[in-house]
Amino acid sequence: MMSNLKTVIWPKVILFGDSITQFSFQANGWGAELAHKLARKCDVVNRGLSGYNSRWGKILLPRIINTQNSADNNIAAVTVFFGANDSALKDENPQQHVPVQEYSENLKEITRLLASAGVSADRVIFITPPPLHEAAWEKECILKGCSLNRHNSVAGLYAQACVHAAGQCGSDVLDLWTLMQKDGQVGRLLSGSNLGHFPHSQSRCNVTLVVKA
């Protein structure tokens, strides 16, 4: 009798991005919150890559998601969360910096690659880089013996580019850079190695917004 039962395979929600995604499954992280929210509905798969920018993410994506046999993927949605490293200042951090125009094109290419894997643009959710607490990050830079290598205003330019790219692709977008400053959350961002990693209240808010998207 039992052998006639079909295996239940949940559709997948893939979280694709940099360290803000990779570490999102830590206690009270936004990825962990999302997995809890979607329990028994979808499997939430973490494909965050600490230190990565959109240029490197675009190259690696075909190795993460099968673009040859899209029927096997069973993907309900993909979040694309790059920009925090792309927006590093070129003179201070040339390894991670990606020019804003290239960043925009990389996001569009990621959408095209996802489409080849059977993930249509309306199932892609772009997330902009979050705002930067410059004072806290500058202290961390000084401890490492380097100058401030990011500016909040520059992160804002990349957030605008992300919003624009999403509109061109027909994808949803979560503009964290704007929303978190509107809600006064930027002052509560963790500094140091957790740059841009969110307090619990913001993680829960992010999850609510992603689910709505």
Side-chain angles (χ1 to χ4, degrees):
M1 181 75 70
M2 293 294 291
S3 62
N4 293 327
L5 295 177
K6 291 184 177 179
T7 301
V8 176
I9 301 176
W10 306 119
K12 291 178 287 190
V13 173
I14 296 179
L15 312 184
F16 182 50
D18 54 32
S19 62
I20 305 177
T21 297
Q22 178 175 325
F23 300 132
S24 69
F25 271 34
Q26 293 179 342
N28 299 323
W30 68 273
E33 291 281 339
L34 184 61
H36 175 70
K37 186 82 172 179
L38 297 179
R40 298 179 62 179
K41 298 176 183 176
C42 294
D43 287 335
V44 179
V45 181
N46 189 330
R47 291 296 179 265
L49 304 158
S50 180
Y52 268 56
N53 55 32
S54 63
R55 180 188 296 159
W56 301 334
K58 175 187 69 175
I59 294 170
L60 195 61
L61 182 59
R63 298 177 62 185
I64 293 175
I65 299 177
N66 185 359
T67 59
Q68 302 301 315
N69 192 353
S70 60
D72 293 339
N73 289 326
N74 194 24
I75 299 171
V78 178
T79 62
V80 178
F81 195 174
F82 289 102
N85 294 324
D86 299 70
S87 63
L89 302 179
K90 182 179 180 180
D91 291 342
E92 301 295 338
N93 189 350
Q95 293 83 9
Q96 290 181 308
H97 170 79
V98 172
V100 67
Q101 183 58 42
E102 181 190 343
Y103 167 69
S104 177
E105 293 303 317
N106 289 341
L107 294 181
K108 296 174 194 176
E109 179 61 21
I110 286 171
T111 305
R112 287 190 285 268
L113 288 169
L114 288 172
S116 69
V119 184
S120 57
D122 61 346
R123 287 187 281 154
V124 177
I125 304 168
F126 287 117
I127 305 177
T128 75
L132 174 71
H133 191 307
E134 285 190 22
W137 183 240
E138 185 172 24
K139 289 180 181 178
E140 190 66 23
C141 289
I142 291 172
L143 289 175
K144 294 179 179 179
C146 59
S147 303
L148 180 67
N149 55 23
R150 289 173 168 85
H151 289 301
N152 188 45
S153 59
V154 176
L157 296 177
Y158 283 71
Q160 291 176 16
C162 180
V163 171
H164 185 63
Q168 290 182 311
C169 294
S171 299
D172 287 313
V173 62
L174 175 55
D175 184 0
L176 283 186
W177 190 86
T178 298
L179 290 171
M180 290 182 69
Q181 293 180 102
K182 183 183 299 182
D183 294 340
Q185 290 284 340
V186 64
R188 299 177 60 197
L189 284 176
L190 302 180
S191 62
S193 60
N194 288 319
L195 170 68
H197 301 179
F198 311 116
H200 187 207
S201 59
Q202 184 61 41
S203 290
R204 298 186 72 176
C205 179
N206 292 351
V207 167
T208 300
L209 293 168
V210 167
V211 171
K212 285 183 178 179

